Amino acid sequence: MRNRRRKDLFEDIFGDMDDMIRSMFESRIDTEEMGEPLVWGYSMTQHGNEPPEIREFGNVSLRDEMFSGLGLEHQGGTAHVEPGVRKPLVDIMEAEDSLHVIVEMPGITKEDVSLEISGTVLNIKAKNGDRKYSERVELPARVLADSAKATYKNGVLEVVFKYDRSDKKSIKVD
C-alpha cells in the first residue's frame, strides 16, 4: 500500500513537471528582439520527508506561466525576460554552526562580485562585460552579517555565515 502512495506521488510530481516544461515551450517569448541566448533551468532539492524545493535559474523567468495552473502563489501575467541578466544556480546548505550559500557564476572574477545582506536576504550581483548575474536569496535562518566569509574560485562563489543565536537562552527547570 505504501509503495502505491509513493508511486502516485511521483506520478503527480513528474506530471506537474511535464506540464511546466510543455508550458515553457508554448510561452510567448520573442527571442529575435532579445538578441541573446535564452537560459532557463531549475534545481530540485529534497531533505528527508520534507517537500521538494524547486529553484529557478537563467535569464528567463517562466515561474508565473508554469505555476499558474498548479494552484501555487504567483504574480500573474506572462513569462518575462530580464535583458542581459542571468539568474545563477544557488544552493543553500545548513551545517550545525554555519550556513553555506553556493552560487555558480562562470565567466567572472572575484572583483566583479558584489554582495549585500539585509536581514535574512542576501543580494548577489556580478558583472563582467556581457556576463551579468543577479539574485536575491532568502536565507532560511538569521545570520551574523559580520561573520560572512566569501570565496570565489573556478566560477563558484561560496559565502559562509555563522548563525545569529543572540536570542537563544537556556531556561532553568525547577
Side-chain angles (χ1 to χ4, degrees):
M1 179 85 173
R2 181 180 173 159
N3 285 339
R4 179 66 184 151
R5 274 192 240 142
R6 182 174 230 170
K7 184 178 179 185
D8 289 344
L9 175 66
F10 281 112
E11 285 177 358
D12 288 346
I13 290 171
F14 287 112
D16 291 345
M17 288 171 60
D18 187 45
D19 292 343
M20 288 181 209
I21 292 169
R22 186 174 297 111
S23 176
M24 178 183 72
F25 286 117
E26 293 171 356
S27 67
R28 297 180 184 107
I29 299 176
D30 186 5
T31 56
E32 289 179 15
E33 183 178 305
M34 291 193 43
E36 65 180 64
L38 298 179
V39 178
W40 180 84
Y42 67 91
S43 67
M44 185 170 85
T45 308
Q46 185 173 17
H47 303 284
N49 291 331
E50 294 178 10
E53 181 180 345
I54 300 173
R55 283 177 283 188
E56 185 178 28
F57 65 93
N59 65 349
V60 177
S61 178
L62 299 171
R63 180 183 314 265
D64 297 341
E65 183 84 13
M66 292 188 305
F67 291 152
S68 62
L70 300 178
L72 300 174
E73 184 178 321
H74 67 286
Q75 304 286 322
T78 60
H80 64 279
V81 176
E82 300 170 23
V85 178
R86 303 170 188 195
K87 291 176 70 69
L89 178 61
V90 177
D91 280 319
I92 299 173
M93 291 188 262
E94 297 180 64
E96 190 173 315
D97 59 348
S98 60
L99 180 76
H100 298 251
V101 179
I102 299 162
V103 185
E104 293 183 24
M105 296 188 295
I108 61 170
T109 65
K110 68 181 183 178
E111 292 79 21
D112 302 327
V113 178
S114 169
L115 301 171
E116 208 176 83
I117 186 158
S118 177
T120 59
V121 176
L122 175 65
N123 288 307
I124 304 166
K125 293 187 183 212
K127 181 180 178 182
N128 184 344
D130 64 338
R131 298 257 176 156
K132 296 180 209 169
Y133 296 93
S134 179
E135 183 63 286
R136 180 180 188 272
V137 179
E138 288 280 342
L139 302 176
R142 287 188 4 223
V143 295
L144 297 170
D146 295 337
S147 72
K149 296 208 181 335
T151 57
Y152 182 80
K153 186 175 182 180
N154 295 330
V156 178
L157 171 70
E158 181 177 18
V159 186
V160 180
F161 296 97
K162 291 187 189 242
Y163 292 112
D164 181 359
R165 302 209 171 143
S166 61
D167 62 347
K168 184 178 178 182
K169 297 180 182 183
S170 59
I171 301 169
K172 182 180 175 189
V173 178
D174 294 326

